[in-house]
């Protein structure tokens, strides 16, 4: 639905009491709405909410953009590498734990956290 620019979509954020219909001409327009969503979640959390920014964005994205537009090939490769290493008990890169690239170690903790969160969410929803 939102594969080709330009297109119009109603954004899922109230602005001056209304849901605007915006014209999207590039990824920058999508990221601008994502920034608004991020700000909204932070504001709600300051008022006592406990919303997850990433989950909120993922759930609202289909209302104004195709999720494929935001996929990052490198990130997908990192996730595949993580899952392969986890499933087969092999290090993702040559060498022992201490020899793994520090950037990879940071990424792996983030991937583990996100996958765990997704698994918990699926369990809670009975899937």
């Amino acid at each position: 639905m939102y594969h080709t620019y330009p297109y119009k979509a109603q954004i899922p954020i109230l602005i001056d009491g209304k849901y605007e219909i915006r014209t999207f001409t590039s990824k920058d327009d999508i990221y601008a709405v994502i920034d608004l969503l991020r700000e909204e979640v932070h504001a709600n959390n300051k008022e006592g909410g406990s919303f997850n920014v990433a989950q909120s964005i993922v759930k609202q994205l289909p209302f104004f953009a195709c999720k494929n537009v935001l996929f990052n090939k490198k990130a997908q490769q990192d996730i595949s590498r993580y899952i392969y290493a986890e499933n087969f008990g092999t290090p993702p890169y040559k060498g022992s734990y201490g020899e793994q690239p520090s950037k990879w170690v940071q990424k792996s903790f983030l991937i583990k956290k996100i996958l765990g969160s997704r698994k918990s969410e699926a369990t809670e929803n009975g899937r």
Side-chain angles (χ1 to χ4, degrees):
M1 181 169 177
Y2 302 125
H3 298 288
T4 310
Y5 300 111
Y7 65 85
K8 290 184 180 191
Q10 182 176 331
I11 63 171
I13 301 166
L14 279 174
I15 297 177
D16 297 327
K18 297 189 313 189
Y19 292 102
E20 290 182 2
I21 294 178
R22 290 194 178 179
T23 300
F24 292 81
T25 59
S26 69
K27 283 185 184 181
D28 291 340
D29 295 329
I30 294 170
Y31 286 116
V33 175
I34 288 172
D35 287 340
L36 290 174
L37 286 168
R38 186 180 306 122
E39 290 170 13
E40 181 181 63
V41 170
H42 287 302
N44 284 326
N45 287 347
K46 282 184 182 178
E47 294 176 8
S50 60
F51 298 100
N52 179 295
V53 174
Q55 288 177 347
S56 296
I57 291 169
V58 168
K59 289 181 180 181
Q60 298 294 323
L61 193 63
F63 294 110
F64 64 92
C66 175
K67 64 182 179 180
N68 292 334
V69 170
L70 301 180
F71 275 148
N72 178 304
K73 189 174 181 176
K74 177 68 175 132
Q76 295 301 312
Q77 290 171 339
D78 288 339
I79 293 167
S80 295
R81 181 184 297 264
Y82 174 86
I83 291 171
Y84 181 86
E86 185 80 14
N87 286 343
F88 294 103
T90 61
Y93 292 93
K94 288 183 181 180
S96 64
Y97 175 79
E99 298 170 318
Q100 299 300 302
S102 62
K103 189 170 187 173
W104 170 254
V105 174
Q106 292 172 354
K107 286 180 182 181
S108 68
F109 284 122
L110 179 62
I111 292 169
K112 182 176 184 172
K113 180 180 176 183
I114 292 169
L115 291 177
S117 175
R118 298 282 302 211
K119 188 180 270 185
S120 294
E121 184 179 307
T123 302
E124 289 174 16
N125 292 333
R127 294 181 195 167

